[in-house]
Amino acid sequence: MLDLDTKKVYFEPMERNESILKLSQADEERELEFELNYLASLTFEERLKMMRQKSRKMLRQMVDHGHRRPFEIIKST
């Protein structure tokens, strides 16, 4: 059984690095540079927290769209 009860998980919002990139035209190179600078400014713990939040979000989306657990690969001997 897959338990995704979000009441058991406490999330702290990240308060620093609230910069917003505003460009008049799309520029992938500047967007990537901005994103990398933001990620480099985070502590290791903040990056782990963000990764866990994204993983939970993706898992919740998969469950909401009908994808439960992945099939298990059984190795025959």
Side-chain angles (χ1 to χ4, degrees):
M1 183 172 156
L2 188 59
D3 183 20
L4 296 174
D5 187 8
T6 56
K7 294 176 186 172
K8 296 179 183 177
V9 180
Y10 176 72
F11 294 108
E12 270 188 38
M14 289 183 231
E15 295 179 8
R16 52 179 236 190
N17 302 324
E18 294 182 8
S19 302
I20 297 174
L21 177 66
K22 293 184 179 181
L23 301 173
S24 58
Q25 295 180 355
D27 186 350
E28 289 185 31
E29 188 173 321
R30 287 184 62 198
E31 290 176 22
L32 180 60
E33 181 181 341
F34 178 81
E35 185 70 24
L36 291 175
N37 286 337
Y38 169 72
L39 291 173
S41 72
L42 298 176
T43 65
F44 180 73
E45 289 81 14
E46 289 172 326
R47 282 182 277 174
L48 280 178
K49 185 187 301 184
M50 189 167 58
M51 182 184 69
R52 288 185 192 116
Q53 290 172 348
K54 299 278 185 186
S55 294
R56 283 189 193 99
K57 182 179 176 181
M58 287 189 296
L59 183 58
R60 169 55 63 199
Q61 287 176 343
M62 288 179 63
V63 170
D64 290 345
H65 289 93
H67 299 281
R68 300 285 179 200
R69 298 184 130 188
F71 292 104
E72 294 181 10
I73 299 174
I74 301 172
K75 184 177 180 181
S76 60
T77 57

